[in-house]
Amino acid sequence: MNSRLRTFAFRIFYRLPGRWRRRIVRLIQPTYTIGAVIIVWDADAPPPGRILLLRQPPNSGWSIPGGLMDRGERPIECAARELAEETGIRAPIEALHAAVPNAIVHTGGQWVDMVFEAEVPATDTFDIDAAEVDEAAWHRLDALPPLTVATAKLLSYYGIGPYAEYPEVRP
């Protein structure tokens, strides 16, 4: 679009009522689904360490705790809430910290996970939400079970899992 036409279009756009401008922007701009996930480390595990993984329907692979943010909820609050809902582990928000990188944009570009980490004392009894989770268990980093593709790609950013050695496979 040439400069004069673009200038003309923006002048017209800014004269529209605010609610019309918002609707136009929503129609033109892509939308994003935002979630929060948490890598939970066993605080007492010897090297190479253990992380908490979940088996969730309908997948046969394992994933990390997480879910979609509620309206007005902060990502860190979502991560803590999902951990509690899915496993019964109630970690205070102060015990969570942002992973580096903190935001992972998944394949397709419209799904973003905010990633957090926490270290907690391991427990073998979980209060799982049977509607969302089939099983929760600690797994050694050198003996991970089959992961969902999305989880394997996400964990690769942190040097964990089957894709960690193959950077060209990263999302």
Side-chain angles (χ1 to χ4, degrees):
M1 180 183 298
N2 74 33
S3 175
R4 289 170 58 186
L5 182 57
R6 187 171 185 266
T7 300
F8 176 74
F10 270 98
R11 286 193 178 149
I12 298 294
F13 176 77
Y14 286 121
R15 289 186 181 161
L16 295 173
R19 67 174 199 249
W20 290 12
R21 289 195 312 256
R22 284 189 295 278
R23 283 188 178 152
I24 290 170
V25 168
R26 285 186 186 134
L27 286 172
I28 295 172
Q29 289 297 109
T31 58
Y32 295 91
T33 300
I34 308 291
V37 297
I38 182 165
I39 302 170
V40 183
W41 296 92
D42 176 351
D44 304 317
R50 295 192 316 171
I51 60 172
L52 178 64
L53 295 173
L54 310 175
R55 229 175 20 83
Q56 299 177 287
N59 299 314
S60 59
W62 292 76
S63 59
I64 57 178
L68 298 177
M69 289 175 38
D70 290 337
R71 191 173 297 278
E73 185 176 40
R74 295 183 312 153
I76 198 166
E77 293 167 342
C78 176
R81 175 181 55 78
E82 288 291 340
L83 179 62
E85 286 177 4
E86 294 177 348
T87 68
I89 296 173
R90 300 198 185 292
I93 289 176
E94 299 78 35
L96 280 62
H97 62 276
V100 177
N102 181 233
I104 302 296
V105 179
H106 291 274
T107 305
Q110 293 186 295
W111 165 24
V112 179
D113 272 326
M114 304 301 295
V115 185
F116 296 89
E117 294 181 284
E119 251 186 59
V120 301
T123 178
D124 288 328
T125 57
F126 298 99
D127 183 16
I128 62 172
D129 176 357
E132 288 188 62
V133 178
D134 289 332
E135 184 179 1
W138 295 98
H139 294 274
R140 287 179 49 91
L141 293 183
D142 59 357
L144 293 175
L147 303 171
T148 65
V149 172
T151 298
K153 287 180 178 181
L154 184 140
L155 288 176
S156 74
Y157 282 100
Y158 308 99
I160 302 169
Y163 298 155
E165 297 179 90
Y166 310 103
E168 68 277 3
V169 181
R170 291 183 180 178

mmCIF file of all heavy atoms in Angstrom, residues 13 35 44 75 81 95 98 110 127 170:
data_model
loop_
_atom_site.group_PDB
_atom_site.id
_atom_site.type_symbol
_atom_site.label_atom_id
_atom_site.label_comp_id
_atom_site.label_asym_id
_atom_site.label_seq_id
_atom_site.Cartn_x
_atom_site.Cartn_y
_atom_site.Cartn_z
ATOM 1 N N PHE A 13 -9.854 5.595 9.604
ATOM 2 C CA PHE A 13 -9.946 4.641 10.717
ATOM 3 C C PHE A 13 -10.068 5.368 12.058
ATOM 4 O O PHE A 13 -10.912 5.030 12.889
ATOM 5 C CB PHE A 13 -8.716 3.717 10.703
ATOM 6 C CG PHE A 13 -8.649 2.764 11.858
ATOM 7 C CD1 PHE A 13 -9.439 1.618 11.892
ATOM 8 C CD2 PHE A 13 -7.791 3.005 12.925
ATOM 9 C CE1 PHE A 13 -9.370 0.736 12.958
ATOM 10 C CE2 PHE A 13 -7.714 2.130 13.987
ATOM 11 C CZ PHE A 13 -8.518 0.986 14.007
ATOM 12 N N GLY A 35 -1.644 -19.857 27.701
ATOM 13 C CA GLY A 35 -1.690 -20.803 28.802
ATOM 14 C C GLY A 35 -0.458 -20.635 29.673
ATOM 15 O O GLY A 35 0.456 -19.870 29.353
ATOM 16 N N ASP A 44 14.578 -33.143 46.060
ATOM 17 C CA ASP A 44 15.492 -34.065 46.738
ATOM 18 C C ASP A 44 16.123 -35.108 45.820
ATOM 19 O O ASP A 44 16.851 -35.975 46.297
ATOM 20 C CB ASP A 44 14.735 -34.783 47.865
ATOM 21 C CG ASP A 44 14.102 -33.798 48.837
ATOM 22 O OD1 ASP A 44 14.777 -32.814 49.194
ATOM 23 O OD2 ASP A 44 12.932 -34.000 49.199
ATOM 24 N N PRO A 75 -0.271 -15.015 34.590
ATOM 25 C CA PRO A 75 0.286 -16.312 34.205
ATOM 26 C C PRO A 75 0.812 -17.129 35.382
ATOM 27 O O PRO A 75 0.585 -18.334 35.457
ATOM 28 C CB PRO A 75 1.404 -15.947 33.226
ATOM 29 C CG PRO A 75 0.985 -14.639 32.645
ATOM 30 C CD PRO A 75 0.276 -13.918 33.765
ATOM 31 N N ARG A 81 -2.322 -22.438 40.095
ATOM 32 C CA ARG A 81 -3.683 -22.995 40.154
ATOM 33 C C ARG A 81 -3.755 -24.334 39.443
ATOM 34 O O ARG A 81 -4.303 -25.314 39.963
ATOM 35 C CB ARG A 81 -4.688 -22.008 39.538
ATOM 36 C CG ARG A 81 -6.116 -22.563 39.456
ATOM 37 C CD ARG A 81 -7.078 -21.573 38.814
ATOM 38 N NE ARG A 81 -6.681 -21.094 37.512
ATOM 39 C CZ ARG A 81 -6.821 -21.778 36.375
ATOM 40 N NH1 ARG A 81 -7.321 -23.004 36.367
ATOM 41 N NH2 ARG A 81 -6.457 -21.233 35.225
ATOM 42 N N ALA A 95 7.151 -19.504 45.331
ATOM 43 C CA ALA A 95 8.027 -20.649 45.054
ATOM 44 C C ALA A 95 8.212 -20.875 43.559
ATOM 45 O O ALA A 95 9.061 -21.662 43.156
ATOM 46 C CB ALA A 95 7.470 -21.910 45.713
ATOM 47 N N ALA A 98 9.924 -17.666 36.785
ATOM 48 C CA ALA A 98 9.814 -17.726 35.325
ATOM 49 C C ALA A 98 10.985 -18.497 34.752
ATOM 50 O O ALA A 98 12.135 -18.268 35.117
ATOM 51 C CB ALA A 98 9.788 -16.319 34.749
ATOM 52 N N GLN A 110 -0.203 -19.332 17.156
ATOM 53 C CA GLN A 110 -1.336 -18.726 17.847
ATOM 54 C C GLN A 110 -1.587 -19.347 19.215
ATOM 55 O O GLN A 110 -2.607 -19.112 19.825
ATOM 56 C CB GLN A 110 -2.582 -18.790 16.976
ATOM 57 C CG GLN A 110 -2.416 -17.896 15.758
ATOM 58 C CD GLN A 110 -3.655 -17.808 14.937
ATOM 59 O OE1 GLN A 110 -4.110 -18.775 14.369
ATOM 60 N NE2 GLN A 110 -4.223 -16.616 14.884
ATOM 61 N N ASP A 127 -3.268 -35.829 44.561
ATOM 62 C CA ASP A 127 -4.718 -35.644 44.564
ATOM 63 C C ASP A 127 -5.084 -35.163 43.165
ATOM 64 O O ASP A 127 -5.274 -33.972 42.936
ATOM 65 C CB ASP A 127 -5.105 -34.627 45.636
ATOM 66 C CG ASP A 127 -6.607 -34.437 45.743
ATOM 67 O OD1 ASP A 127 -7.359 -35.294 45.222
ATOM 68 O OD2 ASP A 127 -7.022 -33.425 46.327
ATOM 69 N N ARG A 170 13.407 -28.186 17.217
ATOM 70 C CA ARG A 170 12.692 -27.302 18.126
ATOM 71 C C ARG A 170 11.653 -26.493 17.371
ATOM 72 O O ARG A 170 11.859 -26.122 16.218
ATOM 73 C CB ARG A 170 13.652 -26.361 18.826
ATOM 74 C CG ARG A 170 14.540 -27.095 19.805
ATOM 75 C CD ARG A 170 15.433 -26.159 20.537
ATOM 76 N NE ARG A 170 16.256 -26.926 21.454
ATOM 77 C CZ ARG A 170 17.166 -26.401 22.214
ATOM 78 N NH1 ARG A 170 17.386 -25.115 22.195
ATOM 79 N NH2 ARG A 170 17.863 -27.161 23.014
#
